[in-house]
Amino acid sequence: MSSVITRPGVPAPGNAGERRGPQGPAGDAIRAEALVRQFGGVRAVDGVDLAIPAGEIYGFLGPNGAGKSTMVRMLCTLLAPTGGRALVAGYDVAAQPGQVRLRIGVALQEAALDPKQTGTELLRLQGRLYGLSSRELTRRLADLGELIELGDALDRPVGTYSGGMKRRLDLAAALVHNPEIVFLDEPTTGLDPASRARVWSEIRRLNQQLGMTIFLTTQYLEEADELAHRVGIIDRGRIVAVGTPAELKRSVGSDVIVARVDGDAAAARAAVAAVAAVPGVSGVEAHGGELVIAASDGAAAISPVAVALAGSALTVRDLTLRTPTLDDVFLELTGSHIEPANHAEDPS
């Protein structure tokens, strides 16, 4: 799997567990070439190139209105491209949508659930539509029950569910046929921290044990950082950066060690001058009562800094290490912080 940061310009019915169908170029599970979607005079997606290898968790980030949802809907065959081409599981989303749909699972932001069905009825119908036998369905429902933890609520009409319960049921419906590729559009929005952690664990299991390719859009930056092998950032319809979370964070700056001292930090600068010779340390600056040390590997540099400060005459109030975050990356590339949507529904 490529880990280089890049910027613009530079299963069949009856056997849901079977991995069939041709791979895309170079083994890509998802591939887009100059993909465009236009609404009137507005290009919501503007010439996007995308290559996601089979077995990867790909995090997709972008500010509101950047083109995330439009991109996902095209890849899921819910929206026809205006231009360009996209292959999912080796099939063209425009010319072969049926083949694509057999091999993907989709959980979008707005759950399309029949309020009159019970949870069990909905999951069984979803499984039968994909050709699962009654025995296979029973086994899958037992497995998924551990994930969604709805208990007796599965026998109640979906219309009685809270917002969080509906999201968990929709996630189970996307996974019931054991798909080859899963599109998860903000799957943990509205979930409490414990439920979110369980979903994270299941996403890892699906990827590591079953080899599923997962296309994950999220407004939780820690979610992308925790789960994604690579992250793509879209802004104004174009991909502005792609790389591993670590690479993207390194691209916007060094780690920073900040020492707060009693008195003038300039007096401590001389005490830690030798630290500047440590490999990876790019500078030592004093600002009032703070000493700031920039380093490519702050974790390795913090110990020499602490030793040097211990030998100085100043009293050190605290010593902290700050590493760049995906929010820093997002801010530099898009000019704004990512803002999770507010959800008024009961998350339980």
Side-chain angles (χ1 to χ4, degrees):
M1 161 191 329
S2 172
S3 60
V4 178
I5 298 173
T6 59
R7 299 177 188 270
V10 185
N15 193 350
E18 185 180 354
R19 298 289 187 262
R20 299 200 300 180
Q23 291 290 335
D28 292 330
I30 301 170
R31 188 174 187 87
E33 300 168 351
L35 198 63
V36 173
R37 176 62 201 196
Q38 191 148 339
F39 297 97
V42 178
R43 281 198 170 194
V45 173
D46 189 9
V48 166
D49 294 325
L50 197 64
I52 301 175
E56 181 172 85
I57 301 177
Y58 186 86
F60 200 47
L61 304 177
N64 291 331
K68 296 192 307 295
S69 294
T70 301
M71 187 73 186
V72 170
R73 289 180 177 276
M74 285 192 289
L75 295 176
C76 294
T77 75
L78 297 176
L79 193 62
T82 304
R85 185 184 187 216
L87 300 177
V88 174
Y91 294 97
D92 190 296
V93 298
Q96 302 164 296
Q99 294 293 341
V100 172
R101 292 168 189 163
L102 287 173
R103 292 164 175 81
I104 66 173
V106 182
L108 299 177
Q109 291 183 47
E110 299 298 329
L113 306 175
D114 184 348
K116 295 184 179 180
Q117 284 186 306
T118 66
T120 298
E121 288 171 343
L122 185 142
L123 293 178
R124 285 194 171 276
L125 174 60
Q126 183 83 348
R128 292 310 300 264
L129 290 173
Y130 277 97
L132 271 67
S133 67
S134 295
R135 179 177 296 180
E136 289 172 320
L137 264 173
T138 299
R139 184 176 66 250
R140 286 297 293 153
L141 292 186
D143 291 341
L144 292 170
E146 296 180 8
L147 167 66
I148 60 177
E149 294 188 341
L150 290 178
D152 294 340
L154 281 173
D155 296 323
R156 290 183 1 222
V158 174
T160 66
Y161 286 18
S162 67
M165 293 168 70
K166 289 177 182 177
R167 291 199 66 81
R168 281 182 274 166
L169 180 63
D170 193 43
L171 176 60
L175 299 174
V176 71
H177 59 296
N178 194 22
E180 178 175 341
I181 300 168
V182 182
F183 291 88
L184 301 178
D185 195 8
E186 301 183 22
T188 61
T189 298
L191 299 185
D192 61 85
S195 295
R196 184 176 300 146
R198 286 193 293 271
V199 171
W200 286 9
S201 178
E202 179 65 10
I203 289 173
R204 290 192 194 93
R205 187 190 71 80
L206 294 171
N207 175 255
Q208 295 170 3
Q209 297 183 17
L210 302 181
M212 286 186 187
T213 304
I214 298 173
F215 189 102
L216 172 73
T217 73
T218 180
Q219 292 191 11
Y220 297 113
L221 293 173
E222 73 274 17
E223 189 163 89
D225 202 355
E226 181 76 17
L227 294 175
H229 299 137
R230 288 189 306 148
V231 170
I233 298 177
I234 187 171
D235 188 36
R236 298 179 178 89
R238 297 187 177 186
I239 301 292
V240 295
V242 178
T244 68
E247 288 169 340
L248 290 176
K249 288 183 285 188
R250 293 296 181 198
S251 73
V252 298
S254 303
D255 293 344
V256 175
I257 300 168
V258 179
R260 290 200 306 157
V261 300
D262 287 336
D264 188 357
R269 190 178 189 284
V272 298
V275 175
V278 173
V281 173
S282 56
V284 181
E285 298 179 1
H287 302 282
E290 288 188 345
L291 196 66
V292 180
I293 300 98
S296 59
D297 187 349
I302 196 168
S303 180
V305 169
V307 170
L309 288 172
S312 72
L314 293 175
T315 300
V316 179
R317 298 180 62 187
D318 57 57
L319 187 65
T320 59
L321 170 63
R322 182 183 183 277
T323 60
T325 66
L326 282 181
D327 191 45
D328 296 325
V329 177
F330 198 86
L331 178 61
E332 176 164 303
L333 293 174
T334 70
S336 64
H337 294 282
I338 197 164
E339 297 181 3
N342 293 322
H343 290 266
E345 290 184 291
D346 178 5
S348 63

